[in-house]
Amino acid sequence: MSEQKSRLLRARRRRPAAPSADQSIANPPPALPTPDAAGEFRSHVLELGPDLAGLRLDQALARLLPQYSRARLQGWIEAGAVQVDGLVPRGRDRVLGGEQVRIEARIEADLQVAAESLPVDVLYSDRALFVINKSAGLVVHPGAGNVRHTLQNALLALDPRLSVVPRAGIVHRLDKDTSGLLVVARTPEVQRALVEALAEREIERHYLALCLGVMTAGGTVDEPIGRHRSQRTRMAVRSDGRDAVTHYRVVQRFRAHTLVRAELETGRTHQIRVHLAHIGFPLVGDPVYGGRRRLTAGSSPELTAALNGFRRQALHASRLALTHPQTGKQMHWEAPVPEDFAHLLEALRRDLEGRQ
């Protein structure tokens, strides 16, 4: 036995190993949890190939099991839920190649967010995911000032097993007052796959946005976005921000407004709102980024009333397309604009027709 492997084995013996397979049979573990239980079990048997030699164990496991975060794998190692050649290792132990790994771990439930029975518009569901049509005014997940009545609370009531999935399976967010489509993963493995697909720009997200001003043509905004330097609740175009790309094209022009279809390549906070305001076309109803109500001379009473009554940014996630992480099937969904948005668009069209 090499000196390196001897040191590795001595390090692993510093902590006792978990029960062997024979001991587990003699003392069987508790029954698998029901949907209301505090966690679910995961079992894996792996071999660390020679291509992983020299990596830390936690790094090697992260490559072999990309459906779990590295933090979760490190937690399992520290908890003694991972055995390497029958011994309990440390995360920093180096892989030699050829080791056998057994993982018997529990994914703990997040009990900090309570389930609440709230209405949720589910457009699609299977064992892997939900597609939700979120209503305007619904906060996606708890935060400062919004610890209850969020989509995350509602999802936990819809499927209690989501308590073992980070953020109840939410893959991407929509602002509170933005309506439309978002995808929710129903297992940690599916969530990991969808988050990676999102990062690789493999999930299509199209939005309908009503802007102040009349655009002459569509285009692309490729400007980095970061936190506003003095107003921390706002985002801004900043040279030292994170890359952000928004494509937009004109759907319909009105006398003083433009309806555009925007497609995200990246998913920065407030991205469409910031980018369109940056080029001089802020969203209707968006006081944060300059979209306060503007009435055009000669506006019809109907349009004036519609603009006065529209109390949110005019942004709707209208189309979502992705590759199903389990079946590999290409899937897409569309959601029409909600009633308040549709009413405003109709008032704009009538106002336009009345001037032609």
Side-chain angles (χ1 to χ4, degrees):
M1 182 182 299
S2 70
E3 182 179 351
Q4 181 184 10
K5 191 158 188 174
S6 296
R7 288 199 304 271
L8 180 61
L9 290 176
R10 285 197 300 270
R12 290 174 181 164
R13 291 191 181 105
R14 292 176 184 172
R15 289 184 288 160
S20 66
D22 292 338
Q23 289 172 320
S24 298
I25 294 173
N27 301 287
L32 289 176
T34 67
D36 298 317
E40 291 186 355
F41 288 96
R42 291 292 188 272
S43 179
H44 297 280
V45 177
L46 314 165
E47 179 174 331
L48 303 179
D51 57 312
L52 301 173
L55 292 179
R56 288 169 51 113
L57 176 63
D58 51 8
Q59 294 173 327
L61 292 181
R63 289 193 183 183
L64 293 174
L65 300 170
Q67 64 268 41
Y68 304 124
S69 68
R70 187 170 168 185
R72 171 162 279 164
L73 292 168
Q74 289 171 332
W76 287 348
I77 294 170
E78 292 302 316
V82 178
Q83 292 185 41
V84 177
D85 291 338
L87 301 172
V88 176
R90 300 169 300 183
R92 65 175 181 269
D93 289 342
R94 297 290 173 177
V95 171
L96 302 175
E99 298 97 325
Q100 299 293 317
V101 177
R102 178 180 292 274
I103 300 175
E104 298 287 346
R106 177 191 287 271
I107 300 179
E108 296 295 339
D110 181 359
L111 302 178
Q112 296 180 347
V113 180
E116 289 186 71
S117 183
L118 302 172
V120 178
D121 185 6
V122 180
L123 293 190
Y124 175 84
S125 68
D126 60 21
R127 293 184 178 183
L129 53 85
F130 289 121
V131 174
I132 306 295
N133 185 16
K134 187 187 86 67
S135 59
L138 179 63
V139 176
V140 170
H141 58 71
N146 294 291
V147 297
R148 300 179 58 201
H149 312 314
T150 71
L151 177 61
Q152 185 171 341
N153 297 108
L155 290 171
L156 291 169
L158 182 66
D159 180 3
R161 288 189 184 274
L162 289 174
S163 64
V164 302
V165 187
R167 302 177 302 283
I170 294 169
V171 175
H172 58 105
R173 298 184 300 172
L174 295 177
D175 296 336
K176 174 185 174 182
D177 289 328
T178 298
S179 56
L181 299 173
L182 51 77
V183 62
V184 175
R186 300 185 70 177
T187 70
E189 295 86 352
V190 170
Q191 186 184 45
R192 182 81 174 186
L194 289 174
V195 167
E196 290 182 352
L198 194 65
E200 294 297 322
R201 305 180 181 182
E202 296 171 353
I203 296 180
E204 293 181 22
R205 292 168 293 160
H206 293 192
Y207 295 73
L208 286 173
L210 182 64
C211 306
L212 293 172
V214 181
M215 290 186 182
T216 57
T220 296
V221 185
D222 185 353
E223 296 286 354
I225 290 176
R227 189 70 59 182
H228 194 283
R229 295 186 188 279
S230 60
Q231 301 176 45
R232 305 305 292 172
T233 59
R234 297 183 56 179
M235 307 300 288
V237 168
R238 291 180 48 167
S239 60
D240 59 347
R242 300 176 68 188
D243 67 297
V245 179
T246 304
H247 306 286
Y248 64 96
R249 65 180 180 85
V250 173
V251 176
Q252 187 171 6
R253 297 180 186 90
F254 304 101
R255 290 200 304 130
H257 302 82
T258 307
L259 178 66
V260 302
R261 185 176 302 279
E263 180 181 358
L264 293 179
E265 274 198 29
T266 53
R268 308 304 173 213
T269 301
H270 300 175
Q271 179 173 320
I272 294 174
R273 298 164 65 187
V274 171
H275 271 171
L276 292 180
H278 178 70
I279 62 172
F281 297 96
L283 300 190
V284 168
D286 188 351
V288 177
Y289 297 106
R292 295 187 183 277
R293 176 178 58 88
R294 297 180 195 168
L295 296 177
T296 305
S299 293
S300 66
E302 179 188 7
L303 177 56
T304 299
L307 287 168
N308 285 337
F310 198 82
R311 302 294 185 179
R312 65 181 180 94
Q313 68 260 11
L315 185 62
H316 174 70
S318 59
R319 176 182 165 86
L320 176 71
L322 53 82
T323 301
H324 194 286
Q326 291 185 339
T327 67
K329 181 181 178 181
Q330 298 292 322
M331 307 185 76
H332 74 272
W333 300 268
E334 295 190 10
V337 294
E339 185 177 354
D340 63 340
F341 204 150
H343 176 70
L344 178 56
L345 290 176
E346 182 60 24
L348 285 163
R349 291 182 182 118
R350 289 181 184 277
D351 178 77
L352 180 63
E353 291 168 359
R355 297 295 183 274
Q356 291 178 344

